[in-house]
């Protein structure tokens, strides 16, 4: 019920290489690159996440040829915006002079796919024509910078797309295998209440990398099979794969059984790391701007993340 009408992205200025990390962590470029495919990532220094989100949203609107007032719904995928309230989506709405309903979605790295499916439902119900989807993640504020097994994996950034009523989306598959232990980021509790007796936990990520790896490979493979079946396609019919950029080895392992030509699998993990929900958006914008996608091409987005969430969406590229 929708096609992608415009895209945008914005990354922080500061680039941190693996060698930079090796100055204060017991790690090396060789370890990080061979285990993950990551060479460097963008990290927030002076920027606000809101500003990155607004910049990418404005690019996507310009690319779609519409003004903020033409947007009927704003959905932002983020695990944590600059403020708990107003939501990141409300902040974007204010900056683009929109009065459309606006809310955030937290589905970790799968957030954008959840947003696409919500947008599809609004459009199918006749409640929206143009939906602005924005992702913005400041992973550098959430990881433990003393834990070499997690902090080296992530980067910060924002991306956006306008989806518009029309022919494009062919199928979508969302799922959740609930697990509150494998990836966990406690909220700070009882900060200022004289009554709250819960433990005061720091807001940093804990992750069992090996368990995430196993889940990711299974979930991505399963979601690709299911979404292709839903669209009456085979994995070989897909022109471009846009997988969540968490680890090149996870991407290779989950796609191996489909014997897909590697040139169809788009990557930017080397220079961006894992930007959670934002990874897929920045990847989409980068290759859209390069002119990689031709009208009628079938794009398959697939992702997994904390929750444990996962999903896949197939969209035909029908941008005007
Ligand atoms: N530098 C050097 N050594 C390291 C580093 C590092 N940065 N990190 C870990 N090691 C060490 C470990 O301590 C371990 O040492 P030991 O054998 O002496 O105990 C050794 O390297 C091997 O560690 P493994 O965990 O076996 O390494 P593995 O090959 O499994 O790779 C990785 C680890 C990269 C984390 C992998 O498991 C992975 O990518 N998992 C998925 C993570 C992921 O995708 N997370 C995103 C989830 S979505 C979200 O959070 C929003």
């Amino acid at each position: 019920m929708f096609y992608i009408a415009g895209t945008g992205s914005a990354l922080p200025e500061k680039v941190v290489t693996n060698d930079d990390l090796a100055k204060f962590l017991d790690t090396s470029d060789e370890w990080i690159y061979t285990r993950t495919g990551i060479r460097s990532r963008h990290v927030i220094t002076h920027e606000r996440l809101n500003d990155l989100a607004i910049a990418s949203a404005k690019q996507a609107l310009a690319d779609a040829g519409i003004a903020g007032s033409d947007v009927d719904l704003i959905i932002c995928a983020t695990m944590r915006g600059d403020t708990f309230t107003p939501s990141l989506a409300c902040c974007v709405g204010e900056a683009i002079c929109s009065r459309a309903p606006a809310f955030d979605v937290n589905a970790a790295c799968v957030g954008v796919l959840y947003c696409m499916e919500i947008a599809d439902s609004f459009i199918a119900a006749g409640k929206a024509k143009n939906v602005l989807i924005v992702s913005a993640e400041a992973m550098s504020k959430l990881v433990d910078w003393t834990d070499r097994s997690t902090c080296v994996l992530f980067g910060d950034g924002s991306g956006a797309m306008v989806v518009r009523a029309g022919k494009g989306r062919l199928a979508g598959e969302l799922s959740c295998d609930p697990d509150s232990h494998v990836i966990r980021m406690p909220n700070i509790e009882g900060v200022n209440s004289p009554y709250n007796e819960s433990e005061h936990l720091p807001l940093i990520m804990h992750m069992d990398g090996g368990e995430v790896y196993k889940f990711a490979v299974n979930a991505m493979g399963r979601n690709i099979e299911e979404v292709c079946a839903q669209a009456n396609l085979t994995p070989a019919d897909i022109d471009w794969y846009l997988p969540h950029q968490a680890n090149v080895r996870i991407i290779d392992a989950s796609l191996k059984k489909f014997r897909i030509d590697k040139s169809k699998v788009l990557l930017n993990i080397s220079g961006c790391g894992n930007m959670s929900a934002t990874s897929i958006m920045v990847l989409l914008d980068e290759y859209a701007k390069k002119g990689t996608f031709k009208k009628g091409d079938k794009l398959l987005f697939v992702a997994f993340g904390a929750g444990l969430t996962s999903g896949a969406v197939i969209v035909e590229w029908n941008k005007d």
Side-chain angles (χ1 to χ4, degrees), residues 55-74:
S56 61
K58 286 184 174 173
Q59 273 180 38
L61 292 180
D63 193 31
I66 60 170
S69 53
D70 298 319
V71 171
D72 306 306
L73 175 68
I74 304 171

Side-chain angles (χ1 to χ4, degrees), residues 21 25-32 34-38 79 107-110 137 139 142-143 147-154 182-185 205-216 244-250 274-277 304-309:
L21 297 178
L25 285 170
D26 181 13
T27 191
S28 65
D29 177 56
E30 198 270 335
W31 192 96
I32 299 171
T34 54
R35 299 283 174 136
T36 68
I38 300 166
M79 287 194 287
C109 308
V110 196
E137 299 279 27
M139 298 306 294
L142 305 177
V143 295
D147 177 6
R148 65 178 183 173
S149 66
T150 53
C151 72
V152 304
L153 305 174
F154 296 97
V182 173
I183 309 172
R184 188 171 164 76
M185 203 182 304
M205 178 186 291
H206 305 273
M207 182 180 75
D208 181 338
E211 285 303 312
V212 177
Y213 195 107
K214 278 188 262 173
F215 166 74
H244 175 46
Q245 309 283 300
N247 186 324
V248 167
R249 287 157 60 216
I250 290 177
N274 177 353
M275 297 181 288
S276 185
F304 67 92
L308 297 162
T309 53

Side-chain angles (χ1 to χ4, degrees), residues 8-285:
S9 61
L11 297 172
E13 266 172 33
K14 174 89 177 158
V15 174
V16 176
T17 66
N18 293 343
D19 287 333
D20 292 332
L21 297 178
K23 288 176 192 154
F24 64 93
L25 285 170
D26 181 13
T27 191
S28 65
D29 177 56
E30 198 270 335
W31 192 96
I32 299 171
Y33 185 69
T34 54
R35 299 283 174 136
T36 68
I38 300 166
R39 285 265 191 230
S40 61
R41 71 287 290 143
H42 293 255
V43 174
I44 282 177
T45 50
H46 58 281
E47 299 93 347
R48 288 165 66 237
L49 194 57
N50 276 358
D51 295 334
L52 295 176
I54 291 163
S56 61
K58 286 184 174 173
Q59 273 180 38
L61 292 180
D63 193 31
I66 60 170
S69 53
D70 298 319
V71 171
D72 306 306
L73 175 68
I74 304 171
I75 324 173
C76 286
T78 187
M79 287 194 287
R80 193 184 182 214
D82 286 336
T83 47
F84 283 115
T85 194
S87 68
L88 183 61
C90 291
C91 297
V92 170
E94 182 180 36
I96 63 167
C97 303
S98 162
R99 301 198 68 236
F103 59 90
D104 289 356
V105 166
N106 178 356
C109 308
V110 196
V112 165
L113 303 190
Y114 275 63
C115 292
M116 287 164 92
E117 290 297 277
I118 295 168
D120 185 54
S121 302
F122 268 75
I123 290 170
K127 292 185 175 182
K129 183 175 176 239
N130 287 305
V131 181
L132 174 63
I133 300 175
V134 181
S135 65
E137 299 279 27
M139 298 306 294
S140 63
K141 295 185 187 174
L142 305 177
V143 295
D144 178 354
W145 283 93
T146 64
D147 177 6
R148 65 178 183 173
S149 66
T150 53
C151 72
V152 304
L153 305 174
F154 296 97
D156 301 335
S158 172
M161 67 168 97
V162 172
V163 301
R164 180 176 295 154
K167 186 174 173 291
R169 177 195 170 278
L170 299 178
E173 180 72 31
L174 301 177
S175 49
C176 179
D177 295 63
D179 186 317
S180 55
H181 300 286
V182 173
I183 309 172
R184 188 171 164 76
M185 203 182 304
N187 216 336
I188 302 168
E189 292 180 327
V191 176
N192 198 26
S193 163
Y195 305 106
N196 196 319
E197 295 171 2
S198 42
E199 200 185 348
H200 186 136
L201 298 166
L203 182 76
I204 48 171
M205 178 186 291
H206 305 273
M207 182 180 75
D208 181 338
E211 285 303 312
V212 177
Y213 195 107
K214 278 188 262 173
F215 166 74
V217 172
N218 285 329
M220 295 228 288
R222 186 184 73 211
N223 280 302
I224 291 170
E225 272 165 3
E226 288 174 359
V227 80
C228 284
Q230 208 189 101
N232 229 352
L233 297 169
T234 68
D237 297 327
I238 301 299
D239 297 291
W240 304 106
Y241 281 83
L242 291 92
H244 175 46
Q245 309 283 300
N247 186 324
V248 167
R249 287 157 60 216
I250 290 177
I251 295 171
D252 287 347
S254 54
L255 294 178
K256 196 173 167 202
K257 64 177 169 184
F258 303 119
R259 299 174 192 277
I260 294 158
D261 177 353
K262 280 208 167 179
S263 63
K264 289 182 169 187
V265 183
L266 305 183
L267 299 172
N268 68 359
I269 187 172
S270 158
C272 294
N274 177 353
M275 297 181 288
S276 185
T278 290
S279 278
I280 275 181
M281 291 283 244
V282 173
L283 188 68
L284 173 72
D285 183 49

